[in-house]
Amino acid sequence: MTEILSVLGLPLLGALLLALWGHKRRAAELNALASGATLAAAAALTARVIADGPLLAVQGQFFVDSFNVFLVALTAFVAFTTALFSRPYMRIEQHRGKLGPNRMRLYHSMFQLFIFTMLLALLTNNMGILWVAMEAATLTTVLLVSLYRTPSSLEAAWKYFILCGVGIAQALFGTILLYFAAEKVLGAGGGALLWTQLNAVKAHLEPTVLSLAFVFLLVGYGTKVGLAPLHNWLPDAHAEGPTPVSAVLSGLLLNVALYAVVRSKILVDGALASHLAGNLMMGFGLLSVVVAAFFLSRQKDIKRLFAYSSIEHMGLVTFAFGMGGPVASFAGLLHMTVHSLTKSAIFFAAGHAAQKTGTQIMDDIRGLLRQSPTVGWGLMLGSLAILGMPPFGVFASEFLILTTAMHSHPWATPFLLAALGVAFAAIFGKVQPMVFGETTAQRLPHPPALLPVFAHLALVLLLGLYIPPYLADWYRQAAALIG
């Protein structure tokens, strides 16, 4: 129990401290320190779960197993590296007059509060608290997306708030239907929404009600995942918010929202004799992959480009979990990991590239390799990794997903291959001239933080070449839980 309370308490304490002192000179260091402490607590929790198995705490209100502890560790790690990256990045934004002390305080406190909501959503055993945490995450990220207070950032924040607000309302209705089905078996009270209790009696839940509940839960949380056609908020939010926010949106929020969908799918699969939940996830996932791939070629803003790439990859993960089975679930978990690490690294490099050239328009970013080889190579290697080039880990997970689809659902394979080919051509064709050619970059007033970029890419490369046995076992256990 101590480990769980530490994982939740440290970012909440960090948010409170930064709400008071987030405008001070050393606020960025405090933000990184709080994130580092959260990572240490997450590591201790992970070690406890590996040693002792699943944990229930605080009268069953918190639950940790192989599935969510893996995401807790990933969330804490990406949050820590993003806090390290944001230290020089946000100081450059402040140096250029884009942000004042009050907005810096808002950024630092809301960053920690966002991490708290993500970890609460992952660790809670209560499906109602899960919904509350996702709604709180929406509110905190709305404030982060609108941080610059420009007309375009305010428009993006309102679009994000309205679309995700409508989506999360659908998820609330799905949660109420879930409670309605559980009440007849478990009785009235908070215990009827505890996931462990629901999982134990899922075979006795009313199939019709649960089918309807899953539709609302998939639409609601799928809006947060960015699944087409519910994806419209995501490119604008990524393009208009600060780059660290784009990194955590792609690397953390989308994963946590998909986690909520998968937890719901496990219950529906146990209650129904059909593959309804999996078929719905496969349909939405495949649609997202195809739609995002063809939107990529039309993008002119570098952050919008990689936002659509996030939609594509989350669609691929959703498709994998929809297929089900040990191999597809293993591949989905691996792809969640490598996508989070790679995409956050890309946004780190893209953010510094935009700062160096003074624009996010890709046609105006040229010759990064000459002025800043580390930024240029970070962007190029990250792009190659996310496009599935071997030996990066994205290739391994995509290969597993495609081969499973060829075996189980051959009709979907041509659509996946065509979409991945279109995405490769679009992204590589736009990134290559940004890295090479005549430079338009300039020196920055503070040296960029590029260690997180190459640390993430090194991990993605490692997962493509060799998955350590304990990590492979971890994925297998989580895949077995998902089904």
Side-chain angles (χ1 to χ4, degrees):
M1 185 177 78
T2 305
E3 293 89 347
I4 293 175
L5 295 179
S6 298
V7 169
L8 294 174
L10 287 168
L12 188 59
L13 177 61
L16 293 173
L17 292 176
L18 287 164
L20 297 174
W21 295 294
H23 61 294
K24 301 288 187 182
R25 178 177 174 81
R26 295 297 179 184
E29 285 79 0
L30 179 57
N31 188 35
L33 180 64
S35 301
T38 303
L39 176 58
L45 177 62
T46 303
R48 173 81 182 276
V49 172
I50 290 174
D52 300 337
L55 298 176
L56 271 172
V58 193
Q59 298 180 336
Q61 293 300 313
F62 295 103
F63 174 65
V64 193
D65 60 10
S66 297
F67 181 26
N68 59 352
V69 79
F70 140 73
L71 288 171
V72 167
L74 181 63
T75 297
F77 178 75
V78 174
F80 174 60
T81 55
T82 304
L84 293 179
F85 160 78
S86 71
R87 179 177 172 270
Y89 181 90
M90 298 305 288
R91 282 181 176 173
I92 293 169
E93 298 294 271
Q94 189 175 23
H95 179 83
R96 292 179 173 175
K98 292 185 177 182
L99 298 170
N102 287 334
R103 289 187 201 167
M104 290 294 288
R105 173 163 53 190
L106 178 66
Y107 166 77
H108 288 124
S109 58
M110 288 301 106
F111 182 90
Q112 287 296 319
L113 193 58
F114 171 73
I115 302 307
F116 166 75
T117 59
M118 291 292 91
L119 294 170
L120 177 61
L122 291 171
L123 291 171
T124 183
N125 190 29
N126 190 306
M127 298 297 285
I129 301 299
L130 172 61
W131 180 87
V132 171
M134 293 302 297
E135 176 67 7
T138 302
L139 297 176
T140 56
T141 43
V142 162
L143 296 173
L144 290 171
V145 169
S146 64
L147 191 68
Y148 290 127
R149 297 295 191 272
T150 61
S152 54
S153 68
L154 291 172
E155 180 186 353
W158 272 109
K159 181 185 287 188
Y160 172 51
F161 178 71
I162 291 169
L163 290 178
C164 287
V166 171
I168 211 74
Q170 307 297 311
L172 175 61
F173 190 59
T175 305
I176 292 171
L177 287 173
L178 185 63
Y179 177 80
F180 177 73
E183 185 185 21
K184 297 180 179 180
V185 179
L186 296 171
L193 278 177
L194 295 181
W195 189 87
T196 48
Q197 302 271 25
L198 291 166
N199 191 45
V201 301
K202 60 188 176 185
H204 305 290
L205 299 177
E206 174 59 41
T208 305
V209 177
L210 222 61
S211 300
L212 189 59
F214 183 75
V215 171
F216 282 102
L217 290 167
L218 177 59
V219 171
Y221 291 129
T223 304
K224 300 284 285 187
V225 179
L227 298 178
L230 315 166
H231 65 281
N232 295 26
W233 65 269
L234 197 149
D236 288 347
H238 280 62
E240 300 302 334
T243 297
V245 177
S246 303
V248 293
L249 282 176
S250 266
L252 304 182
L253 177 65
L254 308 188
N255 281 353
V256 176
L258 186 55
Y259 162 83
V261 174
V262 174
R263 282 291 195 200
S264 304
K265 176 183 179 291
I266 294 171
L267 299 177
V268 176
D269 284 346
L272 304 181
S274 66
H275 200 246
L276 172 69
N279 290 338
L280 285 172
M281 290 180 70
M282 287 170 59
F284 275 102
L286 188 60
L287 178 64
S288 301
V289 173
V290 173
V291 168
F294 285 95
F295 268 105
L296 282 168
S297 60
R298 301 178 54 190
Q299 302 311 308
K300 297 181 179 179
D301 184 295
I302 185 171
K303 290 169 70 176
R304 287 182 69 90
L305 178 79
F306 288 110
Y308 274 104
S309 174
S310 293
I311 295 170
E312 176 203 5
H313 285 278
M314 293 311 295
L316 198 60
V317 177
T318 304
F319 181 84
F321 286 136
M323 284 193 293
V327 178
S329 297
F330 182 98
L333 292 166
L334 178 60
H335 201 77
M336 287 176 86
T337 307
V338 293
H339 173 259
S340 292
L341 295 172
T342 308
K343 191 56 62 66
S344 50
I346 289 172
F347 275 116
F348 296 160
H352 280 314
Q355 282 186 330
K356 280 181 167 293
T357 54
T359 180
Q360 293 180 189
I361 304 302
M362 288 180 284
D363 289 341
D364 297 330
I365 302 175
R366 290 291 182 267
L368 291 171
L369 206 58
R370 293 193 178 188
Q371 179 64 35
S372 181
T374 49
V375 173
W377 279 117
L379 183 59
M380 178 54 75
L381 292 174
S383 300
L384 292 174
I386 205 65
L387 290 172
M389 288 292 288
F392 289 102
V394 180
F395 169 79
S397 57
E398 286 184 350
F399 181 80
L400 287 173
I401 293 170
L402 285 169
T403 51
T404 307
M406 289 176 186
H407 180 264
S408 304
H409 305 280
W411 59 270
T413 309
F415 295 101
L416 291 173
L417 288 173
L420 291 174
V422 170
F424 186 98
I427 293 178
F428 187 78
K430 292 178 182 296
V431 170
Q432 189 269 341
M434 285 193 288
V435 175
F436 302 100
E438 294 298 324
T439 184
T440 58
Q442 56 187 333
R443 293 191 177 277
L444 295 174
H446 299 280
L450 293 168
L451 179 61
V453 176
F454 293 101
H456 283 208
L457 294 179
L459 289 172
V460 174
L461 180 63
L462 173 66
L463 292 174
L465 296 171
Y466 171 74
I467 301 179
Y470 67 88
L471 188 58
D473 290 340
W474 194 3
Y475 284 141
R476 289 192 193 98
Q477 293 173 25
L481 288 170
I482 294 169

